[in-house]
Amino acid sequence: MTDTPKLPEGYELSTDPARIDAERVHHWLSTDAYWAMGRPREKVERTIAGSLNFGVYETVSGDQVAYARVITDSETFAWLCDVYVAPSVRGKGIGSALVVAIREELRPRSLRRILLATADAHSVYAKLGFAPLAKPGEWMALEF
């Protein structure tokens, strides 16, 4: 891992689910995230309720500027998903710092792996320690 970014000054990370702005997260995901376009608000609320949530907030205003969630059994496996940074703060390193914070939050759990899927950010995640599956032929999916 070559980069260990930290949040820029003026931003803070929280795992408190009560701080998640579900309306804002729904808007981001359902209108601007290729993997979640059109996702209904109720589904977003259920995914928030069933996940370990991470938010990044402006320290002065308290406004949420980024979001990610992890689905995990907390022992062997985690799936990092719905990583989103508001367009107004992209390019400041917030997304990379968010993923590093998530990685470090999960590290003490001794998980075997954290998976994610991305169509276009492979190089970003590679800088943070992620790599293509070593044995992709062993993985299967059941899609509905």
Side-chain angles (χ1 to χ4, degrees):
M1 292 165 280
T2 58
D3 294 338
T4 55
K6 302 214 181 303
L7 283 173
E9 192 169 326
Y11 297 94
E12 63 185 351
L13 178 103
S14 175
T15 59
D16 180 357
R19 287 191 72 184
I20 300 297
D21 183 340
E23 182 176 339
R24 183 172 292 195
V25 170
H26 170 254
H27 175 75
W28 287 338
L29 296 178
S30 67
T31 65
D32 192 41
Y34 68 84
W35 65 90
M37 295 297 285
R39 187 180 289 173
R41 170 77 184 262
E42 299 78 26
K43 185 172 274 199
V44 170
E45 290 176 2
R46 287 192 303 270
T47 63
I48 290 170
S51 301
L52 177 58
N53 298 279
F54 295 81
V56 176
Y57 305 86
E58 292 180 343
T59 52
V60 174
S61 69
D63 289 342
Q64 187 170 356
V65 298
Y67 175 74
R69 66 189 183 92
V70 174
I71 303 164
T72 184
D73 62 9
S74 294
E75 293 295 330
T76 61
F77 178 83
W79 177 265
L80 173 60
C81 50
D82 289 342
V83 179
Y84 187 90
V85 177
S88 62
V89 297
R90 289 181 187 161
K92 295 183 177 186
I94 289 172
S96 293
L98 172 60
V99 172
V100 166
I102 292 167
R103 182 187 73 201
E104 296 310 308
E105 174 78 16
L106 296 175
R107 186 182 302 279
R109 299 174 192 216
S110 299
L111 301 168
R112 280 185 56 100
R113 66 185 45 88
I114 301 169
L115 292 181
L116 63 82
T118 182
D120 57 3
H122 295 81
S123 63
V124 172
Y125 289 107
K127 290 177 187 175
L128 305 175
F130 288 84
L133 291 174
K135 299 178 183 177
E138 293 181 1
W139 292 85
M140 298 179 71
L142 176 62
E143 298 187 27
F144 293 100

